[in-house]
Amino acid sequence: MNILVLNCGSSSIKYQLFDMRDKSVLAKGLVHRVGMAGSKIDHKKGDKGDKVTVSSEILDHKDGIKKVLDLLVSKENGVIKSLNEIKAVGHRVVHGGEKFAGSVLIDQEVLDAVKECVNFAPLHNPPNLKGIEAVLELMPNVKQAGVFDTAFHQTMPSKAFLYALPYMFYEKEKIRRYGFHGTSHRFVSKRASEMLKIPYERSKIITCHLGNGCSIAAVQGGVSVDTSMGHTPLEGLVMGTRCGDIDPAIILHIMKKHELTPQELDNLLNKHSGVQGISGESNDLRDLEEGWPNRSERANLALDVYAYRIRKYIGAYIAVMNGCDALAFTAGVGENSPIIRELACKNLDFLGIKIDMDLNNKTWRGVEGDISTPDAKVRTLVVGTNEELVIAEDTFDLIEGRLDPKTGKPKRK
Ligand code: AMP
């Protein structure tokens, strides 16, 4: 039983084909520059196979997905004989609003609801929708599932998700905190409880997803009780180019003083802020860490602000859950940057977080592990995230009837 996972961005399509018998990856790849000059597909057979690059004009998402399907069955680079071997397609969908607290099988009602959420995620939901609609046309008989970035955080209580604005904005316009990276926080918190051999239903875990976007979540008893991203993925931690938490009055001030349009301000906060904005050098932590701490004052400052914000949230989430069993670092930076883990965990020994510098420095590049000192009350873990696998598993469970197709809740036996 093979499941294709698609993650359609505005100009890219990430894909992975899973064999659900053993959850192995048959093929994976990335379509670059959809609808632009210089488009190409990087394709790999298996998880670790050699990369082949196919240059080809890719007009739009439908064309990109068609070319991926052609590659999957091609003589030279294919891994299946016919498209009939793909039983279902699982899509990453960024925003599900309050409508989706779990993964669902896609029908017209779901499509309409995802369209309603375009307002909340104008950059992300439209390409997700294009991917679903393309598969509907290219493989009309194949079932499709939507797995939402926001769904895992729908368990947040109102005291965590409400902004202190006039209540009308929540009631009528659904302006509230939603949280993102839910698929990753769900996978990583579960994995952390397995690594520590503690029951997920009774665990208190803080997950730090530090990648291109960054968010942190408090996961208590297997459900998200708070997370740092809000109405959009701009709130919370400092990111590569996004500012995270700032005083909202600054926005009005800058807008007025520099006569910026809403679009220009959006660009400033999302694309020119974060560690890029502070350092003036790069949005990539690998660059800023090169030569650390002797690179430059501004690079050090960027790393300090980035790590300090993480530390503040860790303290806050320990208070939210009245304790913590494990702190789990994941994604590009979380899995690969001993420097950020060291800075973020500094001065937290009072709360029981102590990391072993030797273990910390050894744990990266796909290595998973516990990097705490033996006496640390809270275990600090490095966990590899795997959002694509979660999407494949949910899709599989939906089509096999283990999850309710409308709510994604496990069906009672
Ligand atoms: P992701 O969104 O999870 O793919 O993470 C991508 C980000 O991870 C990149 O922007 C890099 O800044 C960061 N990253 C990857 N490898 C390293 C590393 N060895 N050290 C620090 N940051 C890294």
Side-chain angles (χ1 to χ4, degrees), residues 50-121:
D50 290 336
K51 183 173 85 179
V52 287
T53 299
V54 185
S55 296
S56 149
E57 190 185 22
I58 293 167
L59 301 172
D60 54 22
H61 285 78
K62 183 173 160 198
D63 193 26
I65 293 172
K66 165 97 179 53
K67 287 188 170 126
V68 168
L69 296 175
D70 290 347
L71 258 178
L72 292 173
V73 295
S74 74
K75 268 221 170 85
E76 206 179 335
N77 298 305
V79 289
I80 50 175
K81 290 205 176 71
S82 125
L83 292 182
N84 292 333
E85 290 174 48
I86 300 177
K87 285 292 169 254
V89 178
H91 294 265
R92 175 191 183 213
V93 183
V94 168
H95 216 305
E98 286 191 329
K99 192 100 183 173
F100 300 105
S103 306
V104 294
L105 279 183
I106 293 172
D107 56 16
Q108 193 55 46
E109 202 185 317
V110 171
L111 267 177
D112 291 343
V114 174
K115 280 180 194 156
E116 273 175 36
C117 295
V118 163
N119 260 346
F120 292 161

Side-chain angles (χ1 to χ4, degrees), residues 151-169:
F152 184 59
H153 301 300
Q154 277 297 297
T155 43
M156 274 194 284
S158 47
K159 64 186 168 202
F161 75 64
L162 263 190
Y163 291 113
L165 291 168
Y167 196 66
M168 180 282 284
F169 287 105

Side-chain angles (χ1 to χ4, degrees), residues 210-212 283-286 289 331-333 336-337 364:
L210 311 175
N212 268 326
N283 65 334
D284 192 322
L285 290 200
R286 279 168 294 199
E289 287 181 356
V333 181
N336 292 303
S337 171
W364 61 306

Side-chain angles (χ1 to χ4, degrees), residues 21 30 49 52 64 67-68 115 149 242 244 299 305 347 370 375:
R21 285 173 304 184
L30 176 62
V52 287
K67 287 188 170 126
V68 168
K115 280 180 194 156
D149 261 31
R242 286 179 237 163
V305 175
N347 287 344
D370 185 336
D375 62 328

